[in-house]
Amino acid sequence: MTLLALGINHRTAAVDVRERVAFTPAQLDAALGELKRLPAVSEAAVLSTCNRTELYCVTSDGAKSVLEWLGRFHRLPVEELTRCSYQHLGEEAVRHLIRVAVGLDSMVLGEPQILGQLKDAYQFARNSVGLGGELEQLFQHIFQVAKQVRTETGIGENPVSVAYAAVSMASHIFDDFSRANALLIGAGETIELVARHLKEAGIANLCIANRTVSRAERLADELGGSAIGLEGIPHALENADIVIASTASQLPILGKGMVERALKKRRYKPVFMVDIAVPRDIEPQVGDLDDVFLYTVDDLQEVIDENRRHRELAAAQAEELIRQGVNAWLHLKRVRSGGEVIKRYRSHGEQLRAECEAQALAELDQGRDPQEVVAQLARQLANRFMHHPTLALRQASGDDRQDILQTAQTLLLAPADSSQDPS
């Protein structure tokens, strides 16, 4: 049995293929049950996100049966899955799993969400079909290594998304978001991310302006903010400390005159503005106003590029920690496999001891001289313990297996100064 990581991600397949291979929450329980019932699979877990679907199994035939099952479950030809999938076995599967956990295999380098998703996948598999010894221990080890990487490399500290970078820049101007008011113009994906980041940062008031007010209302209701149409922007500007715009408009929405009037109303209290849109939503001349700090998407890109360089440096450090983590796992696995041998060896010894003891007690019951019985017991135990090793050593000598003979000296011959009771 060996560990298998089989998957499809944003690098190997287009979104339309990833959608067809993804597991919905309603499918997961049945999918895990089917997967674990495959004759070649003893343990299984499934990770399914918008960017990847991965199956983690302990299997006896590599990826063959798992890949065929994936095709049957999603009604996709195995040939198509083979072209866009990847597979890792044993040590490489462990390395891949750790890299996924720390965000080194993500679309956004170092993003933290994947670790939570992996923990959810682990917990779901544990609750649904149960995890055997190897996957249970492996996941625990992976989470420890991921925590170490996050703590020691800072791989997730520098924002690399436009939305996060915009909020990060605002934080350099506003020490306390709980006293700041934000006006967001637009209601698309980028503005939604900005709104969520601001909410997490503790923004006092959030106002979302959009041409279609109903879209703005849905987001505002979810985040505890307010929604207005574009015609309400001039009034909203009077209270806005932070303005972030990202619409699909072909013409600027905020002009210099509108902003000047708002500044006069707010007694020239400074305003931080970020124009993420292309074409621009805010006239460039707005940046000429003394009390406006205006940044464009190009300014953010400089921040993002610099932060990405920091993350790439952290990623190089993370790879070394991952290498150590893989080696630690392999060591633990070897220790556990040695433990099984030790368990069997001690069980064999206990069986021999019990047989010899039973014979000695029976002879004592028959009235034999206790000294003779003890002497015979000692001879029997010694002979029975030494019988198989002696035969194996003679065979090794005849075959000139010096490696076995050398190992036998280490295993069978106690050091001269050894006086401890091995029990």
Side-chain angles (χ1 to χ4, degrees), residues 206-221:
L206 193 62
C207 179
I208 302 171
N210 193 52
R211 195 177 306 279
T212 305
V213 180
S214 59
R215 289 190 63 184
E217 285 176 340
R218 283 196 293 271
L219 181 57
D221 289 345

Side-chain angles (χ1 to χ4, degrees), residues 84-307:
C84 62
S85 65
Y86 47 86
Q87 52 185 272
H88 304 283
L89 293 171
E91 178 180 340
E92 287 307 310
V94 177
R95 189 185 317 280
H96 173 76
L97 251 168
I98 300 177
R99 296 187 83 256
V100 168
V102 301
L104 292 188
D105 196 57
S106 297
M107 185 178 291
V108 177
L109 181 66
E111 60 92 4
Q113 289 82 7
I114 187 65
L115 179 58
Q117 292 166 332
L118 196 58
K119 287 181 176 179
D120 290 342
Y122 154 74
Q123 197 61 53
F124 192 94
R126 197 179 188 207
N127 295 339
S128 175
V129 295
L131 290 176
E134 181 155 3
L135 275 186
E136 174 73 36
Q137 292 164 350
L138 176 60
F139 273 115
Q140 294 299 331
H141 180 72
I142 284 168
F143 298 151
Q144 289 175 3
V145 176
K147 181 179 179 181
Q148 182 187 11
V149 170
R150 291 273 165 191
T151 302
E152 297 185 15
T153 69
I155 190 162
E157 288 180 358
N158 301 292
V160 291
S161 72
V162 169
Y164 199 106
V167 176
S168 178
M169 289 181 73
S171 69
H172 294 308
I173 296 175
F174 298 94
D175 293 332
D176 186 2
F177 276 162
S178 67
R179 293 183 291 178
N181 301 320
L183 170 63
L184 307 184
I185 304 174
E189 182 179 349
T190 300
I191 286 295
E192 180 179 346
L193 288 172
V194 168
R196 294 188 187 282
H197 289 315
L198 283 169
K199 187 69 177 176
E200 290 170 3
I203 196 75
N205 294 295
L206 193 62
C207 179
I208 302 171
N210 193 52
R211 195 177 306 279
T212 305
V213 180
S214 59
R215 289 190 63 184
E217 285 176 340
R218 283 196 293 271
L219 181 57
D221 289 345
E222 183 181 347
L223 298 176
S226 59
I228 59 173
L230 297 185
E231 70 282 355
I233 288 177
H235 177 68
L237 273 174
E238 297 173 11
N239 299 311
D241 304 302
I242 299 169
V243 178
I244 301 177
S246 178
T247 76
S249 175
Q250 295 302 303
L251 297 172
I253 292 174
L254 267 62
K256 185 178 180 182
M258 183 192 300
V259 176
E260 275 185 308
R261 289 189 291 274
L263 284 171
K264 198 173 294 185
K265 291 273 189 174
R266 56 189 279 117
R267 298 173 186 260
Y268 300 97
K269 185 180 174 184
V271 183
F272 171 80
M273 292 186 172
V274 181
D275 189 352
I276 301 175
V278 179
R280 299 186 205 184
D281 283 334
I282 304 174
E283 285 184 348
Q285 293 78 5
V286 171
D288 297 334
L289 298 172
D290 289 340
D291 300 294
V292 173
F293 299 89
L294 175 62
Y295 297 88
T296 67
V297 69
D298 289 341
D299 298 319
L300 293 183
Q301 194 58 50
E302 291 179 13
V303 174
I304 291 168
D305 289 344
E306 180 62 25
N307 288 347

Side-chain angles (χ1 to χ4, degrees), residues 7-23 48-53 70 74-85:
I8 290 171
N9 67 14
H10 58 281
R11 291 192 183 91
T12 65
V15 65
D16 60 322
V17 177
R18 299 202 305 273
E19 287 173 342
R20 293 159 66 199
V21 178
F23 294 90
S48 190
T49 72
C50 57
N51 284 328
R52 73 178 63 242
T53 292
L70 186 63
H74 288 297
R75 298 191 175 116
L76 290 169
V78 173
E79 297 76 16
E80 183 178 354
L81 290 176
T82 301
R83 284 194 298 271
C84 62
S85 65

